[in-house]
C-alpha cells in the first residue's frame, strides 16, 4: 500500500487544535488513571492498535495492573472495576458507539451521580478527544 498522508505535516494547524484538546484533557479533574482507561477502552472499540499500545504503556507507568488492563475489554463481566469506573466505561462505550443508541438516560444519570455536571462534561470531552485521535490514526495508518 502506498504511504498515506501525515496530517501533522500537511495541516499543522489541525494538529495544533488536536494538541490543544489534548492539553485540555490533561487539565480536567478526572484522574490520570481513569483518563487512561477511557483512552484504552475507546481505542479497543475502534481497533486502534497504536493508541491501545501507547495508552496501555502510560497506564502501566501510572501503576495500573496488568490484570485490570487485560480485563478492560470485558469490563462489564469483570469484578475488577469500581462503580465509578463502570459508569465511565459505560459512557465511553456509548459515546464511542454513538450511532447504535446514543447515550442512555440511565448511563448519563449514573455518571452525573458520581461526577457532577463538570465531571460529566469533562468525561464526554475526554471520550471525544480519544475518538478523534483514533480516527486520525486509523485513517492515516
Amino acid at each position: 500500500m502506498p504511504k498515506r498522508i501525515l496530517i501533522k505535516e500537511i495541516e499543522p494547524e489541525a494538529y495544533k487544535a488536536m494538541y490543544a484538546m489534548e492539553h485540555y484533557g490533561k487539565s480536567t479533574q478526572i484522574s490520570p488513571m481513569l483518563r487512561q482507561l477511557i483512552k484504552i477502552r475507546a481505542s479497543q472499540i475502534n481497533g486502534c492498535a497504536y493508541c491501545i499500545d501507547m495508552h496501555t504503556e502510560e497506564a502501566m507507568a501510572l501503576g495500573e495492573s496488568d490484570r485490570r488492563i487485560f480485563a478492560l475489554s470485558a469490563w462489564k463481566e469483570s469484578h475488577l472495576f469500581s462503580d465509578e469506573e463502570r459508569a465511565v466505561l459505560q459512557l465511553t462505550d456509548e459515546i464511542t458507539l454513538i450511532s447504535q443508541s446514543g447515550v442512555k438516560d440511565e448511563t448519563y444519570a449514573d455518571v452525573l451521580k458520581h461526577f457532577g455536571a463538570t465531571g460529566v462534561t469533562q468525561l464526554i470531552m475526554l471520550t471525544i478527544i480519544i475518538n478523534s485521535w483514533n480516527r486520525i490514526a486509523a485513517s492515516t495508518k
Side-chain angles (χ1 to χ4, degrees):
M1 175 187 343
K3 183 178 176 186
R4 295 197 180 184
I5 62 164
L6 295 173
I7 293 173
K8 185 177 183 178
E9 291 178 6
I10 296 171
E11 285 289 341
E13 289 300 311
Y15 248 67
K16 186 177 176 182
M18 285 302 301
Y19 283 130
M21 292 290 289
E22 189 66 29
H23 178 72
Y24 158 78
K26 290 177 182 174
S27 75
T28 66
Q29 70 185 24
I30 308 304
S31 74
M33 189 69 77
L34 191 51
R35 291 195 310 256
Q36 292 306 318
L37 292 179
I38 292 166
K39 290 176 179 184
I40 296 167
R41 181 61 187 144
S43 299
Q44 288 174 335
I45 293 169
N46 290 322
C48 185
Y50 178 85
C51 292
I52 292 169
D53 181 56
M54 175 178 25
H55 298 301
T56 297
E57 187 175 321
E58 290 172 353
M60 292 170 73
L62 289 171
E64 185 58 86
S65 73
D66 294 351
R67 186 175 181 203
R68 281 175 34 103
I69 291 172
F70 298 150
L72 189 55
S73 64
W75 70 266
K76 288 182 184 182
E77 290 80 31
S78 176
H79 67 282
L80 299 175
F81 301 95
S82 70
D83 288 344
E84 278 186 357
E85 290 167 332
R86 296 174 72 71
V88 170
L89 292 169
Q90 184 65 41
L91 181 68
T92 301
D93 284 10
E94 290 179 13
I95 292 171
T96 302
L97 299 167
I98 197 82
S99 67
Q100 290 184 1
S101 59
V103 173
K104 296 175 185 156
D105 290 340
E106 311 86 67
T107 302
Y108 185 88
D110 195 21
V111 175
L112 186 62
K113 174 182 74 176
H114 290 290
F115 294 92
T118 300
V120 171
T121 302
Q122 293 173 352
L123 290 165
I124 290 169
M125 292 307 298
L126 288 166
T127 307
I128 290 168
I129 293 165
I130 188 56
N131 273 281
S132 297
W133 282 122
N134 289 163
R135 281 150 177 76
I136 290 168
S139 60
T140 60
K141 296 192 183 237

